[in-house]
Amino acid sequence: MSEPHPHPLYGKHAATLDRALTAIRERAYWSAFNESPSPRVHGEDAAPRGKAAFEAYLDANFSLDQPGTTGWVGGEKSPFGVPLDVRYPRPDVDALLGAATAAMPAWRDAGPQTRAGVCLEILTRLSENVFELAHAVQFTSGQAFVMAFQAGGAHALDRALEALAYAYAEMTRIPASARWEKPAGKGEPLRMDKTWHVVPRGVGLVIGCNTFPTWNSYPGLFASLVTGNAVVVKPHPGAVLPLAVTVKYAREVLAEAGFDPNLVTLAAEAPSEGLASVLALRPEVRIVDFTGSTEYGDWLEANARQAAVYTEKAGVNTVVVDSTDDFAGMCNNIAFSLVLYSGQMCTTPQNILVPREGIATEGGHKSFDEVAEGIGAAVGKLTGDPARGVELTGAIVNEGVLERLERARGLGKVVLDSRAVVHPTFGDAVVRTPLILALDADGEQAYGNEWFGPISFLVSTDSTEHSLEVFRRTVGRRGALTAAVYSRDDKVLDDVERAALDVGVHLSANLTGGVFVNQSAAFSDFHGSGANAAANAALTDGAYVASRFRIVQSRRHS
Amino acid sequence: MSEPHPHPLYGKHAATLDRALTAIRERAYWSAFNESPSPRVHGEDAAPRGKAAFEAYLDANFSLDQPGTTGWVGGEKSPFGVPLDVRYPRPDVDALLGAATAAMPAWRDAGPQTRAGVCLEILTRLSENVFELAHAVQFTSGQAFVMAFQAGGAHALDRALEALAYAYAEMTRIPASARWEKPAGKGEPLRMDKTWHVVPRGVGLVIGCNTFPTWNSYPGLFASLVTGNAVVVKPHPGAVLPLAVTVKYAREVLAEAGFDPNLVTLAAEAPSEGLASVLALRPEVRIVDFTGSTEYGDWLEANARQAAVYTEKAGVNTVVVDSTDDFAGMCNNIAFSLVLYSGQMCTTPQNILVPREGIATEGGHKSFDEVAEGIGAAVGKLTGDPARGVELTGAIVNEGVLERLERARGLGKVVLDSRAVVHPTFGDAVVRTPLILALDADGEQAYGNEWFGPISFLVSTDSTEHSLEVFRRTVGRRGALTAAVYSRDDKVLDDVERAALDVGVHLSANLTGGVFVNQSAAFSDFHGSGANAAANAALTDGAYVASRFRIVQSRRHS
């Protein structure tokens, strides 16, 4: 079998791919997709065109022309109270998986370069329609517009490219072919010509989440696709549209490039139909990417045994407050991370551990209550003006978060109560500000579990040493995606870093400016580590991509 | 936490490591450890010193000075009928795992370079004692001396270095630290200093096999160790000594380098004590490497859920015979691969698919029976002289193989019967020549499963096309580690290669010279693919090493 010529799309995007390959080796700052929604970047018509495209989807069937459509399914409820009424194809699972499987051999045989070129073209197409994507993310997840544009658009595309680059590097770290020549004493050397083929594992299943339908799905989607697998995208029933739009453009580009569009299909369902479980157990499905609850992630890991399963689940993100040289900066930074998307990020801090005797600051000693007041006041300031506040908080993604917020209120002493806010533009939007509770370290039964949503705990400990014990125990048990420390003592910083290594959580130290613990930068920060219970993999590293394909060799005498 | 200085052993071995890193990128011919047992390579005293060292272990306690020894356990039976009577420490599992766990933090903090240097020093130490190792492999596995020296010594060390190189490349594909600087419009850029730490998963468990105690264990052992994990080595009760010797030298080097020798420990047991299962389910054990039966490999995959499990199991290695330009070369090559270690390699061909109407050759048409006779005669020639034959066949590893050989005899028409051979040196050695049976393709119930040992089937098919169907179906169902094709038709070669990609098995075409389907060369050929039921991973590729550690990040403002 001779090696294929790369598709022209490879040449079109080779420079971008090459830059991305450099970025993942250096992990300094780089970004391929501009995070600014400014018309100066995207042109005057991009925003209105995206809005119009979004609106055209509403109250209509979302046609995808994929096989096995047996009817239509919908029911997304916008956290902004906007009626959506989009109806998606309800798939016949046999037909969908059959088509996905049939599409793979030609995709496999096209080789890594062609696949990378086509995938980069899909990212480019999505980027050209990023406003459409941003509106879809905003009105399904409840993110405010700018965040939906950034996290749901530009940053999601950057993460996709990052995963794609790791996968490309992994596929090409060995040559496509080589001559092997072994000396044989005085005789003729043994000579063999060897070829190494990248073969896909099988169908990849991407199970999306409600809060970050694109950001959390893209790395798995593109890592699986570029390594030769077909991908079935199963969105959260509450956030179908962003992934339907994604699938639409992916299919469009695949077909244009001469490949079977069934390499990417959508598997939509109504709430509680259990389609993810049906798909995840099918023998054709050999890769599963999931973001969501610990309970369901654990179920997938235990039951989808025929597949490589990558899960991002829940954890107890923790901040250790020991001391600071910038008390206001610390309070503002923590407050911002609590307010952003009203704490509905998997990276939002939940437990803030503060010695009950208080902490040293540049302005002298601050008591526990003063620290609580400082953070509470900063949150209050960010959310005080509804018009500005809602651009940070967005809306509450679903009923589950509201119920949890009600249940949480009794868990401690209220430092700052959650407030309902009337959204100035969307009157039916469900907006809540953060709830902050204080409780003692012995209340681990409460703060030791994840309370997803605008809920945080200021936990009073005996000392920073005690905070570290709590940190090790709770994160060791439940995992975490993020951790932070505030200290002006290098020994404390080192001790917390060592503890973070032991429990396998990424650590941010002394964030007081424009970087926040709940934000990670593509091509530099890793998201999750795979080293604790909150996730069994990091997004976008070697381990995340290496098992999505296999190498099959052939050899013959030269 | 500041970066550590590398240990001087890193500098000592940096050139070798660098050459190995080049080799895994090129995958052309390279070898670090000389496969010749000649005194010109190793010095006059190496062989007698190794023999004496081996003999000194016999009828004695093998002292390892590891914690938690509760008594002594032994019972290896040499296939050569030589009394061994070595007794090994019986470990207390809690003490062993406790010590292994306690040893890890300092090993983690030493960093990739130091760990690579220390591991290379272990390989060097083993190489300096390779004759001792070869004797231990020979008299436990039943391999003939030269094979024990090569496969059990030099090639095992090459595979270890190959795995180590992949792991080192994986750990260092991202920098240890970087400055991140994000432009912020007209303001000062955001600047962060980021550090990435390699953290181990936990304790690695290596479960050895009876036939290749070192070759199959070394890649996992060194891949886990160099990535910061402690390793518990659980040998097959029939082949403890080679791994006890390995553990002894590993501990010696670790202690000399200033590390806790409990990073590598031995967990010996008597037959049927079930120690592997006890260890594999312990929460401390986060990596399992196993070579052996499909049944137990599947059990590990299903039950050792807390661990990353790498298994090499059984399969039905297949040869598709379509036509040849070198009939004698084909028969001799196939025959050699059946005779070598009397078919007790996981890579030995089992099913040889031949059209019942015969094949075209350079000497005209050959009937099915002529092909059978040709291979049978070539086997007969290789084994006709007992003194030369036993240097190829070695001895039969255990009772299980003998019993299987008896049961197999009734499965088809005997083309060549197995013979018992009296070993000229070791009168009590259990030596058997290969059994070759002919049967029709409809006898898939027999040849569709693995018959490990000197048992092969010549399967008559309707045509090469039919052979390909059988190949796809049997390998698709049961897996295979190797496949071969003989054809002078390029289209057939391409068709078989495509089928090999579909069922995920490495393919050798038209081997008629000094390369055999059951041999794979380190740094060039992959062993296993992970793409079929015979193994869930390939030895020594990116996927094999990438999940043995995690990256944990810390960041702070510059």
Side-chain angles (χ1 to χ4, degrees):
Chain A
M1 291 171 67
S2 54
E3 272 181 60
H5 287 287
H7 192 282
L9 286 172
Y10 172 71
K12 178 179 174 189
H13 297 294
T16 305
L17 177 59
D18 198 53
R19 183 62 189 87
L21 290 168
T22 302
I24 61 170
R25 280 192 301 269
E26 296 180 345
R27 298 201 76 83
Y29 173 76
W30 185 64
S31 170
F33 297 96
N34 199 307
E35 69 182 4
S36 164
S38 161
R40 284 195 304 278
V41 174
H42 301 273
E44 288 296 337
D45 74 320
R49 187 166 51 79
K51 188 160 185 279
F54 164 71
E55 284 167 356
Y57 293 129
L58 305 185
D59 193 18
N61 289 351
F62 193 104
S63 181
L64 274 174
D65 190 25
Q66 65 183 27
T69 295
T70 64
W72 299 89
V73 63
E76 290 159 295
K77 278 189 190 169
S78 175
F80 288 104
V82 172
L84 299 172
D85 299 321
V86 196
R87 297 169 296 275
Y88 306 94
R90 180 194 291 280
D92 175 79
V93 168
D94 287 332
L96 209 66
L97 291 178
T101 302
M104 273 189 284
W107 186 235
R108 172 193 73 193
D109 295 343
Q113 293 187 325
T114 291
R115 289 197 300 270
V118 174
C119 285
L120 268 153
E121 182 70 10
I122 297 173
L123 296 183
T124 305
R125 187 72 49 90
L126 290 167
S127 174
E128 287 162 2
N129 296 283
V130 64
F131 282 90
E132 176 182 340
L133 209 55
H135 281 94
V137 169
Q138 174 180 9
F139 287 100
T140 51
S141 72
Q143 292 177 26
F145 176 74
V146 171
M147 183 172 175
F149 185 91
Q150 295 187 334
H155 298 170
L157 292 165
D158 267 347
R159 281 285 181 198
L161 178 55
E162 187 187 2
L164 190 159
Y166 270 101
Y168 185 81
E170 195 66 34
M171 290 189 286
T172 54
R173 71 191 289 181
I174 62 161
S177 60
R179 167 73 55 93
W180 177 87
E181 193 169 312
K182 181 181 179 179
K186 286 165 193 161
E188 274 292 291
L190 292 166
R191 289 195 189 90
M192 303 286 289
D193 285 327
K194 304 186 180 186
T195 310
W196 292 280
H197 301 276
V198 170
V199 303
R201 277 185 85 99
V203 176
L205 170 67
V206 173
I207 305 174
C209 67
N210 202 350
T211 46
F212 289 89
T214 53
W215 195 94
N216 275 91
S217 298
Y218 279 11
L221 198 176
F222 285 92
S224 283
L225 188 60
V226 78
T227 49
N229 307 280
V231 179
V232 174
V233 179
K234 210 300 289 176
H236 190 283
V240 183
L241 189 57
L243 289 172
V245 169
T246 302
V247 168
K248 172 187 144 176
Y249 287 120
R251 293 175 61 83
E252 195 173 284
V253 171
L254 284 163
E256 286 168 15
F259 291 98
D260 188 335
N262 294 327
L263 288 164
V264 181
T265 52
L266 186 76
E269 63 171 341
S272 309
E273 291 191 350
L275 182 56
S277 302
V278 171
L279 287 165
L281 300 183
R282 289 283 297 230
E284 300 94 328
V285 170
R286 301 298 312 281
I287 306 169
V288 177
D289 285 277
F290 166 76
T291 308
S293 73
T294 295
E295 190 189 357
Y296 192 62
D298 288 348
W299 183 90
L300 284 168
E301 291 174 30
N303 291 283
R305 305 295 318 291
Q306 84 292 354
V309 178
Y310 303 90
T311 58
E312 185 197 306
K313 300 172 286 191
V316 286
N317 302 320
T318 302
V319 183
V320 175
V321 178
D322 168 73
S323 56
T324 180
D325 273 334
D326 179 1
F327 184 69
M330 176 183 87
C331 292
N332 288 335
N333 189 283
I334 293 176
F336 187 88
S337 68
L338 302 182
V339 170
L340 193 65
Y341 192 22
S342 15
Q344 298 171 110
M345 298 176 73
C346 50
T347 50
T348 304
Q350 173 180 297
N351 298 334
I352 303 165
L353 311 181
V354 184
R356 76 171 55 84
E357 302 303 328
I359 63 167
T361 78
E362 83 285 5
H365 180 265
K366 299 278 182 192
S367 70
F368 179 89
D369 286 345
E370 285 171 312
V371 174
E373 280 159 29
I375 296 170
V379 168
K381 208 170 154 193
L382 288 167
T383 55
D385 173 48
R388 276 167 45 207
V390 295
E391 295 310 321
L392 294 179
T393 61
I396 297 297
V397 65
N398 59 34
E399 273 297 322
V401 175
L402 284 184
E403 286 164 16
R404 195 173 303 116
L405 183 57
E406 282 316 306
R407 275 189 291 129
R409 197 169 264 111
L411 294 173
K413 186 186 141 206
V414 173
V415 170
L416 184 75
D417 207 350
S418 175
R419 291 182 297 110
V421 175
V422 177
H423 195 290
T425 316
F426 304 105
D428 293 332
V430 181
V431 180
R432 295 290 184 280
T433 63
L435 169 71
I436 306 180
L437 301 167
L439 74 177
D440 190 84
D442 65 14
E444 196 171 314
Q445 249 196 321
Y447 69 81
N449 297 305
E450 191 191 46
W451 291 81
F452 183 83
I455 303 156
S456 301
F457 303 104
L458 276 167
V459 179
S460 55
T461 65
D462 299 345
S463 61
T464 292
E465 206 175 303
H466 185 209
S467 294
L468 261 176
E469 279 172 36
V470 171
F471 171 71
R472 282 179 183 272
R473 194 169 54 240
T474 51
V475 177
R477 203 171 279 165
R478 297 288 172 181
L481 290 167
T482 62
V485 55
Y486 288 89
S487 179
R488 47 189 196 179
D489 180 340
D490 281 342
K491 185 178 171 306
V492 170
L493 292 177
D494 277 0
D495 287 349
V496 178
E497 189 162 340
R498 203 172 299 272
L501 294 191
D502 288 344
V503 296
V505 63
H506 301 313
L507 179 69
S508 299
N510 292 327
L511 297 183
T512 52
V515 173
F516 305 94
V517 68
N518 47 341
Q519 294 182 328
S520 69
F523 296 103
S524 182
D525 298 320
F526 290 105
H527 176 77
S529 68
N532 66 56
N536 78 352
L539 290 188
T540 60
D541 66 359
Y544 184 68
V545 300
S547 293
R548 292 178 192 260
F549 67 93
R550 297 298 186 194
I551 302 286
V552 176
Q553 165 180 323
S554 70
R555 60 178 184 176
R556 57 181 76 174
H557 284 290
S558 306
Chain B
M1 288 171 66
S2 54
E3 274 182 59
H5 288 286
H7 192 281
L9 286 173
Y10 171 70
K12 179 180 172 188
H13 296 294
T16 305
L17 176 61
D18 198 52
R19 182 62 188 85
L21 290 167
T22 301
I24 62 170
R25 280 192 301 270
E26 297 180 345
R27 297 202 76 82
Y29 173 77
W30 186 64
S31 170
F33 297 95
N34 199 307
E35 69 181 2
S36 165
S38 163
R40 285 194 303 277
V41 174
H42 300 273
E44 289 296 336
D45 75 320
R49 186 166 52 78
K51 188 160 184 278
F54 164 70
E55 285 168 353
Y57 292 130
L58 306 184
D59 192 19
N61 288 351
F62 193 106
S63 181
L64 275 173
D65 190 26
Q66 66 183 26
T69 296
T70 64
W72 299 89
V73 63
E76 289 159 295
K77 278 189 192 167
S78 175
F80 288 104
V82 172
L84 299 172
D85 299 320
V86 196
R87 297 170 296 275
Y88 306 93
R90 181 195 292 279
D92 175 79
V93 168
D94 287 334
L96 210 65
L97 291 177
T101 302
M104 273 189 286
W107 185 235
R108 172 192 75 194
D109 294 344
Q113 295 187 322
T114 291
R115 288 196 301 270
V118 173
C119 285
L120 268 153
E121 181 70 8
I122 297 173
L123 296 183
T124 305
R125 188 70 51 91
L126 289 167
S127 173
E128 287 162 2
N129 297 281
V130 65
F131 282 90
E132 176 182 339
L133 209 55
H135 282 93
V137 170
Q138 174 180 8
F139 288 101
T140 52
S141 72
Q143 292 177 24
F145 176 74
V146 171
M147 183 174 174
F149 185 92
Q150 295 187 335
H155 299 170
L157 292 165
D158 268 346
R159 280 286 181 199
L161 178 54
E162 188 188 0
L164 190 159
Y166 270 101
Y168 185 82
E170 195 65 37
M171 289 188 288
T172 55
R173 72 191 288 181
I174 63 161
S177 61
R179 167 74 55 94
W180 177 87
E181 192 168 312
K182 182 180 180 177
K186 286 166 192 159
E188 274 293 289
L190 292 167
R191 288 195 189 91
M192 302 287 287
D193 286 327
K194 304 187 180 185
T195 310
W196 293 281
H197 301 275
V198 170
V199 302
R201 277 186 86 98
V203 176
L205 170 65
V206 175
I207 304 175
C209 66
N210 202 349
T211 46
F212 288 89
T214 53
W215 194 95
N216 274 93
S217 298
Y218 279 12
L221 198 175
F222 286 93
S224 283
L225 188 60
V226 78
T227 48
N229 306 281
V231 179
V232 174
V233 180
K234 208 301 288 175
H236 190 284
V240 183
L241 188 56
L243 289 172
V245 169
T246 303
V247 169
K248 172 187 144 176
Y249 287 120
R251 293 175 62 83
E252 197 174 283
V253 171
L254 284 163
E256 286 169 17
F259 291 99
D260 189 335
N262 295 326
L263 288 165
V264 181
T265 52
L266 187 76
E269 62 170 342
S272 308
E273 290 191 351
L275 182 56
S277 302
V278 171
L279 287 165
L281 300 183
R282 288 284 299 229
E284 300 95 328
V285 170
R286 302 298 313 281
I287 306 170
V288 177
D289 285 277
F290 167 75
T291 308
S293 73
T294 295
E295 190 189 356
Y296 193 62
D298 289 347
W299 183 89
L300 284 169
E301 290 174 29
N303 291 281
R305 306 296 318 291
Q306 83 293 352
V309 178
Y310 303 90
T311 59
E312 185 198 306
K313 301 172 285 191
V316 286
N317 302 320
T318 301
V319 183
V320 175
V321 178
D322 168 72
S323 56
T324 180
D325 273 332
D326 180 0
F327 184 68
M330 177 184 88
C331 291
N332 289 334
N333 189 282
I334 293 176
F336 188 88
S337 69
L338 302 183
V339 169
L340 194 65
Y341 192 22
S342 14
Q344 298 171 110
M345 297 176 72
C346 50
T347 51
T348 304
Q350 172 180 299
N351 298 335
I352 303 165
L353 311 181
V354 184
R356 75 171 57 82
E357 303 301 330
I359 65 167
T361 78
E362 83 285 6
H365 179 266
K366 299 278 184 193
S367 70
F368 179 87
D369 286 346
E370 284 171 311
V371 174
E373 279 158 31
I375 297 172
V379 168
K381 208 169 152 191
L382 288 167
T383 55
D385 173 48
R388 278 164 45 205
V390 297
E391 295 308 321
L392 293 178
T393 61
I396 296 298
V397 65
N398 58 36
E399 274 296 323
V401 175
L402 283 184
E403 287 165 16
R404 196 174 302 118
L405 183 57
E406 283 315 308
R407 272 191 292 129
R409 197 169 264 113
L411 294 173
K413 185 186 141 207
V414 174
V415 169
L416 185 75
D417 206 351
S418 175
R419 289 183 298 112
V421 175
V422 177
H423 197 291
T425 317
F426 304 106
D428 293 333
V430 181
V431 180
R432 295 290 185 278
T433 63
L435 170 70
I436 305 179
L437 301 167
L439 75 178
D440 190 83
D442 66 12
E444 195 171 317
Q445 247 194 323
Y447 70 80
N449 297 305
E450 191 192 45
W451 290 81
F452 183 81
I455 302 156
S456 301
F457 303 104
L458 275 167
V459 179
S460 55
T461 65
D462 299 344
S463 61
T464 292
E465 207 174 301
H466 184 210
S467 293
L468 262 175
E469 279 172 36
V470 171
F471 171 72
R472 282 178 184 274
R473 194 169 56 239
T474 50
V475 177
R477 204 171 278 165
R478 296 289 171 179
L481 290 167
T482 63
V485 56
Y486 289 89
S487 178
R488 47 189 196 179
D489 181 339
D490 281 342
K491 185 180 173 301
V492 171
L493 292 176
D494 277 1
D495 287 349
V496 178
E497 189 161 339
R498 202 173 298 273
L501 295 191
D502 288 344
V503 296
V505 63
H506 302 313
L507 179 69
S508 298
N510 292 327
L511 298 183
T512 52
V515 173
F516 305 94
V517 68
N518 47 339
Q519 295 182 328
S520 70
F523 297 104
S524 182
D525 298 319
F526 290 106
H527 177 76
S529 67
N532 67 54
N536 78 353
L539 290 189
T540 60
D541 67 358
Y544 184 68
V545 300
S547 292
R548 292 177 193 262
F549 67 93
R550 297 298 186 195
I551 301 286
V552 176
Q553 164 180 324
S554 70
R555 59 179 184 175
R556 56 181 77 173
H557 284 290
S558 304

